[in-house]
Amino acid sequence: MKTLESVLIKHPFFENLDKPYLELVTGCAKNVKFEAGQFICQHDDEANQFYIIRHGKVALEICPPGKAPVTVQTVSEGEILGWAWLVPPYRWHLDAHAIELTRAIALDGQCLRKKCEEDKNLGYELLKRLLPAIGRSMEATRLQLLDIYGARD
Amino acid sequence: MENFSPTDPMIPRSYRVKRKIRESHDTFTLDLQPDNLEEKTNFAPGQFNMLYTFGVGEVPISISGPMKESGHILHTIRGVGNVTQALNNLKIGQKVGLRGPFGNAWPIEEAKGKDVIIMAGGIGLAPLRPAVYSLFSQRQQYGDIALLYGSRKQEDLLFHKEFETWRGKYGIQVKVTVDTGDRSWKGNVGVVTTLVPRVSFDPSNCIAMICGPEVMMRFSALELTHAGLTEDKIFITMERNMKCAVGFCGHCQFGPAFICKDGPVFRYDQIKPFISTREF
Amino acid sequence: MNKSEVIDKEGLNRLIQILIGRGYEVVGPTVRDEAIIYDQVFSIEDFPAGWTDEQEGGIYRLKKRSDEALFGYNLGPHSWKKFLHPPERKLWQAQKEGLDFDIIPEKPEHKKYAFLGARSCELHAVAIQDKVFMQGTHTDLHYQALRKNALFVAVNCGQAASTCFCVSMQTGPEVENGHDLVLTEVLDDKRHDFLIEAGSEAGKNILKEVKAKPAGEGDIKKTKEIIANTATQMGRKMDTENIKELLYENLNHLNWDKIAERCLSCANCTMVCPTCFCSTVEDVTDITGEHAERWQKWDSCFTMDFSSIHGGVVRNSTKSRYRQWMVHKLASWQDQFDTSGCVGCGRCITWCPVGIDLTQEVGLIRKSEPGQSGILSGNEGQNENS
């Protein structure tokens, strides 16, 4: 557990998190590893994990029927994967697979939710960290929507 | 009947296509050589030329190289309009009219002793390439250098064959991202702003040079300020309609400035208010 | 101070003849199409004797005077820019030779113009265009050639129109700079004379030949009275204090929308403005495709095409185009050329089909709370990102 805690506190997402909270979070954590090409989650699967990426790169894909899958975002070292674990009905919205060997810490969604319910301050602390990440990804999506590099005439 | 007047800035000089390099499915580089072999082809990184094709018209094209050799000059062009398509149709040896170089330059001198961030979107890497070469030519004068480059798709990436040399020989951080990728793309997917946290630089001693679509530059500058850069250390290039390139025609006015002669490179804090104003 | 002398109408004719004799094409006021315009003149017979004009926002009409004054009008739709910076001009031509082509430049025209009847505001306008075409990074050789050869015989205004505001812009009514000769028309029951003074060596030289009579104390006093009287007749006023900051701070002012409800985007204001200098280029090819020409033509920031970049038009709305014009004229011009772009001639008011009056519009912006929607409030960029 000691090593997980020290890894978590070094990750930008948990930067400066108070020790008691960190201990609570660590209680839900385990190390995971994905080989290149391995799926981490698939659309509509139950979203029970919140991944803290330590190393590697993960592609978030949408696969339209009859077409090749399209990668819409990649997340890598220092970033996070997943927020569906916090929002009912707790289902993944995208497919994600590792592009290269990826190491992460998986936080159990159910466990985290339970601890957040018990300690609303922890819940608020996590939300304050999660929301900017979601916001950035939304802003990035808006920019992608503009297709600014596309042929303009 | 050669009769080019060297002093009239409105008269194109005679250049010929020496080489044509296909950069991507819609982008190519024309290597042009002056008919008058005495003519100097010097330019400063960031400057542009006006290229004329017979009977079609004239467009501003930024100069994409080289930095050391002289006697020829590179222009990287995206074939999307009438004139650029006509430029694309030129054969080796054919003539184009050239006026220039016009405009100001990237802050290569000012960046000395500092870290440098180069952010490019799409064809925006073309006018930055001479800046990159300039930094390389005096590599020891600069700290960490990072190139953050975003484009629409993998197949739109320019100059990517040079990136390994840039990384290896000159030790710069090159991060590339595309807006959408397929399974063959193993790199980053996302907008160029997402690359900022992934490179190391000292925000208190750093110069950023950004070129790309205006929206991309605005968001990039915003991201850099989040990372701790002040707006007076961020430089961007502006694009507006341009007819004369020498300050006569009035088309490229942008508030206090003429983009053709006061720009195209601007310090971000000096034009931000105008960029933020719609339809300005 | 230069010596004042006096000539009568015959003396003025003599002056015109001397100028023609020296190879000048003399351009002066004349009546055409119910307006006083500038065109080639050969004698005072061509002048608008006894005519004046009545002007208001969107209104211009000629009226008979009770006297036979030659310069008894205010300003017409023309300004001298149409001669120095012509509405269209060939820049060069190109001839195809197989796959090759040759560019044949147009040589600058070395025509000598003598502009007779230029008013003080107009001389200021010429000085402003000099900055645009001759004092920047590059020089417009065609403008320069015509400009260097040009001779200005100016006239002190004996009256002002209801659309005039040169006093506000500090560009008149007294001719002080940029002239070679200056006339003041002195006309009453007993006399019809012109006080004449040289403003340059060329002017002095010509004046010697005119054989004018020395002016008396009374003549000089009379001239001063005429100019002082004109200054009191200004029909418009413009408060220019901090006008650059005022406009820059109010780029999102609601008044721009109000103006856009009336503005037809017709470009008249830019065509009649003596300082507006914008131009475009047109490439034309003949039917064989062997011969191409490039022409420079007056353009206006009110046209849709003016701000087009590939993929779209930057200034789509009328509001943004009017704002561009006025902010450029009164504010960014100061940054670009160290002078206002407005000389207070009032042509843009008179020739606006709907009578938009920039002095009034500036007043409306000034009257409201400053900075509430402007670029210096620093709010806008953040709002757009939220």
Side-chain angles (χ1 to χ4, degrees):
Chain A
M1 290 309 268
K2 191 75 188 158
T3 46
L4 275 179
E5 193 177 307
S6 62
V7 171
L8 280 176
I9 196 66
K10 274 189 209 142
H11 193 279
F13 185 81
F14 289 115
E15 197 181 358
N16 298 325
L17 186 70
D18 286 349
K19 177 102 173 128
Y21 292 150
L22 188 64
E23 279 167 7
L24 286 173
V25 169
T26 312
C28 301
K30 67 171 186 210
N31 262 312
V32 289
K33 185 179 94 173
F34 301 97
E35 301 295 335
Q38 187 183 349
F39 271 87
I40 299 168
C41 65
Q42 292 203 294
H43 170 71
D44 218 32
D45 283 355
E46 209 174 325
N48 264 331
Q49 310 290 335
F50 173 34
Y51 295 102
I52 307 296
I53 312 293
R54 299 173 57 189
H55 179 79
K57 188 180 286 162
V58 176
L60 307 187
E61 276 184 352
I62 298 175
C63 188
K67 288 188 178 159
V70 178
T71 305
V72 292
Q73 194 190 345
T74 52
V75 292
S76 46
E77 184 181 338
E79 296 177 312
I80 56 159
L81 172 64
W83 46 272
W85 60 272
L86 188 63
V87 187
Y90 317 118
R91 301 268 167 195
W92 289 101
H93 303 120
L94 299 164
D95 301 340
H97 73 275
I99 300 177
E100 54 194 51
L101 175 69
T102 299
R103 293 178 194 281
I105 288 175
L107 301 170
D108 182 88
Q110 229 170 345
C111 168
L112 269 186
R113 286 202 301 269
K114 186 163 164 287
K115 289 187 178 177
C116 289
E117 287 298 338
E118 284 166 9
D119 185 341
K120 297 288 199 289
N121 285 338
L122 168 67
Y124 182 55
E125 189 57 43
L126 286 189
L127 210 58
K128 278 198 290 184
R129 289 160 189 265
L130 202 53
L131 202 58
I134 297 172
R136 285 166 80 91
S137 124
M138 189 182 69
E139 269 188 16
T141 309
R142 287 173 174 168
L143 277 180
Q144 279 166 301
L145 260 180
L146 286 174
D147 192 20
I148 43 177
Y149 310 128
R152 284 181 288 166
D153 52 349
Chain B
M1 206 177 106
E2 292 294 310
N3 191 18
F4 293 110
S5 158
T7 47
D8 187 340
M10 297 302 281
I11 307 296
R13 303 186 304 280
S14 192
Y15 274 65
R16 273 171 210 282
V17 180
K18 185 185 163 200
R19 207 160 45 114
K20 195 167 154 186
I21 308 148
R22 181 143 294 282
E23 305 286 1
S24 78
H25 63 101
D26 64 356
T27 303
F28 56 98
T29 296
L30 285 187
D31 189 352
L32 301 179
Q33 198 169 25
D35 264 4
N36 173 7
L37 294 173
E38 303 287 294
E39 183 168 322
K40 294 235 178 358
T41 55
N42 299 351
F43 68 98
Q47 286 193 303
F48 64 94
N49 281 323
M50 299 295 284
L51 298 187
Y52 168 79
T53 53
F54 179 82
V56 186
E58 199 180 45
V59 279
I61 302 285
S62 48
I63 303 169
S64 60
M67 264 337 283
K68 279 183 186 153
E69 316 146 67
S70 60
H72 69 126
I73 191 157
L74 300 171
H75 302 80
T76 300
I77 304 159
R78 192 159 167 216
V80 287
N82 288 340
V83 184
T84 50
Q85 288 290 7
L87 287 165
N88 196 8
N89 293 335
L90 291 174
K91 308 256 180 312
I92 307 292
Q94 260 189 288
K95 217 187 230 189
V96 294
L98 182 149
R99 298 191 292 126
F102 298 121
N104 66 354
W106 294 107
I108 304 295
E109 279 303 307
E110 193 183 333
K112 280 190 177 158
K114 297 185 171 71
D115 291 347
V116 183
I117 294 181
I118 309 251
M119 273 180 101
I123 187 106
L125 187 55
L128 279 165
R129 188 169 67 168
V132 171
Y133 291 161
S134 278
L135 300 176
F136 289 167
S137 69
Q138 295 175 289
R139 182 64 188 91
Q140 69 291 348
Q141 299 264 17
Y142 303 93
D144 285 341
I145 302 177
L147 167 68
L148 312 181
Y149 180 33
S151 85
R152 192 175 184 225
K153 288 188 159 138
Q154 179 183 359
E155 55 264 34
D156 297 317
L157 291 168
L158 301 180
F159 314 138
H160 52 90
K161 286 182 191 136
E162 300 177 42
F163 293 169
E164 275 322 302
T165 319
W166 295 6
R167 281 193 187 104
K169 190 171 169 198
Y170 300 104
I172 78 165
Q173 314 165 71
V174 180
K175 299 280 177 191
V176 177
T177 186
V178 296
D179 272 358
T180 51
D182 60 20
R183 276 296 175 92
S184 70
W185 174 245
K186 302 294 177 200
N188 300 306
V189 176
V191 289
V192 70
T193 50
T194 60
L195 300 175
V196 172
R198 301 185 195 180
V199 289
S200 71
F201 58 93
D202 174 4
S204 66
N205 186 38
C206 181
I207 290 275
M209 309 176 199
I210 316 176
C211 185
E214 200 168 308
V215 176
M216 168 263 170
M217 293 192 291
R218 268 168 58 186
F219 280 89
S220 299
L222 188 69
E223 189 65 35
L224 289 170
T225 54
H226 287 331
L229 248 78
T230 50
E231 286 172 352
D232 60 334
K233 296 290 182 280
I234 300 173
F235 293 80
I236 70 167
T237 54
M238 290 298 299
E239 183 201 357
R240 284 291 182 268
N241 188 313
M242 209 177 266
K243 299 291 185 199
C244 74
V246 289
F248 301 157
C249 82
H251 279 253
C252 71
Q253 279 176 69
F254 188 68
F258 283 80
I259 286 167
C260 67
K261 55 178 189 166
D262 305 315
V265 179
F266 292 95
R267 220 174 77 186
Y268 192 57
D269 61 321
Q270 292 173 342
I271 54 160
K272 187 190 169 196
F274 300 104
I275 288 196
S276 305
T277 303
R278 284 195 188 182
E279 292 194 84
F280 193 71
Chain C
M1 199 179 132
N2 284 305
K3 203 172 62 166
S4 298
E5 298 182 59
V6 177
I7 53 174
D8 58 9
K9 285 207 280 186
E10 270 320 300
L12 190 54
N13 257 339
R14 236 173 13 252
L15 171 63
I16 294 170
Q17 292 318 311
I18 290 164
L19 293 173
I20 292 171
R22 290 186 177 216
Y24 285 102
E25 175 173 326
V26 182
V27 181
T30 191
V31 176
R32 188 185 305 155
D33 300 333
E34 296 175 62
I36 292 165
I37 56 129
Y38 298 144
D39 202 354
Q40 187 168 15
V41 291
F42 297 95
S43 80
I44 60 169
E45 291 302 306
D46 296 321
F47 282 34
W51 286 104
T52 189
D53 52 68
E54 199 174 73
Q55 303 192 35
E56 233 332 306
I59 294 169
Y60 175 93
R61 71 171 71 88
L62 289 189
K63 253 176 49 179
K64 262 289 176 199
R65 291 175 62 96
S66 57
D67 59 26
E68 286 298 302
L70 298 182
F71 299 105
Y73 59 94
N74 298 296
L75 287 166
H78 284 186
S79 66
W80 309 103
K81 83 170 175 185
K82 70 174 253 200
F83 301 97
L84 295 172
H85 174 48
E88 52 178 60
R89 182 162 65 74
K90 198 201 286 182
L91 292 171
W92 44 263
Q93 49 188 314
Q95 192 63 41
K96 205 167 177 188
E97 308 279 346
L99 278 177
D100 259 11
F101 64 91
D102 286 323
I103 287 180
I104 305 138
E106 284 295 299
K107 293 225 162 60
E109 212 181 345
H110 289 275
K111 197 166 187 172
K112 287 168 72 180
Y113 281 118
F115 298 124
L116 206 162
R119 308 303 177 96
S120 178
C121 63
E122 298 189 301
L123 292 171
H124 278 90
V126 171
I128 288 170
Q129 288 214 328
D130 287 353
K131 289 197 173 199
V132 176
F133 294 124
M134 302 199 300
Q135 289 159 30
T137 327
H138 299 272
T139 301
D140 183 330
L141 300 181
H142 298 260
Y143 180 91
Q144 188 184 44
L146 290 169
R147 179 68 183 88
K148 294 269 180 227
N149 282 337
L151 188 98
F152 281 92
V153 182
V155 173
N156 280 315
C157 289
Q159 61 180 62
S162 69
T163 45
C164 285
F165 56 102
C166 65
V167 169
S168 299
M169 302 314 294
Q170 296 175 298
T171 55
E174 184 172 12
V175 171
E176 288 169 326
N177 280 309
H179 60 288
D180 296 285
L181 290 164
V182 55
L183 306 168
T184 309
E185 187 166 25
V186 183
L187 175 63
D188 56 33
D189 298 343
K190 290 172 214 129
R191 62 190 289 205
H192 191 174
D193 291 331
F194 303 88
L195 208 81
I196 185 166
E197 248 178 44
S200 71
E201 282 308 312
K204 271 185 199 163
N205 202 303
I206 290 162
L207 187 51
K208 262 184 224 158
E209 228 179 289
V210 177
K211 300 196 170 55
K213 287 182 288 197
E217 283 288 315
D219 295 327
I220 294 164
K221 199 168 153 243
K222 179 78 183 160
T223 300
K224 286 201 186 317
E225 276 168 23
I226 288 169
I227 295 165
N229 186 44
T230 302
T232 65
Q233 289 177 12
M234 295 290 131
R236 294 289 198 278
K237 240 188 211 160
M238 173 98 89
D239 180 358
T240 58
E241 198 190 336
N242 294 329
I243 195 163
K244 183 175 101 178
E245 291 74 13
L246 176 79
L247 293 178
Y248 278 175
E249 281 169 19
N250 285 288
L251 294 179
N252 293 309
H253 198 282
L254 284 176
N255 199 45
W256 301 117
D257 295 283
K258 295 272 172 218
I259 298 169
E261 288 171 13
R262 290 174 289 147
C263 174
L264 306 175
S265 217
C266 72
N268 266 16
C269 50
T270 55
M271 296 295 110
V272 295
C273 177
T275 68
C276 270
F277 58 85
C278 287
S279 61
T280 186
V281 287
E282 271 179 32
D283 289 287
V284 291
T285 318
D286 72 358
I287 200 157
T288 66
E290 301 286 298
H291 181 82
E293 292 181 352
R294 165 159 283 216
W295 285 74
Q296 175 184 286
K297 297 184 174 179
W298 281 2
D299 200 0
S300 167
C301 51
F302 281 92
T303 65
M304 185 72 101
D305 207 35
F306 190 85
S307 64
S308 71
I309 49 179
H310 75 264
V313 168
V314 175
R315 290 188 282 273
N316 232 309
S317 66
T318 300
K319 162 191 162 174
S320 66
R321 284 181 248 156
Y322 187 89
R323 179 182 66 189
Q324 168 61 25
W325 178 70
M326 188 153 109
V327 172
H328 180 222
K329 188 74 37 189
L330 300 173
S332 22
W333 211 296
Q334 296 186 34
D335 287 321
Q336 295 169 354
F337 301 108
D338 212 16
T339 169
S340 174
C342 178
V343 294
C345 73
R347 285 183 179 94
C348 58
I349 304 171
T350 299
W351 297 94
C352 175
V354 296
I356 296 172
D357 175 348
L358 84 168
T359 64
Q360 202 181 339
E361 301 305 339
V362 168
L364 285 172
I365 290 172
R366 196 181 284 282
K367 252 202 312 208
S368 61
E369 287 282 298
Q372 56 186 341
S373 56
I375 58 165
L376 299 185
S377 62
N379 289 326
E380 183 168 308
Q382 287 155 29
N383 286 343
E384 267 184 46
N385 295 330
S386 60

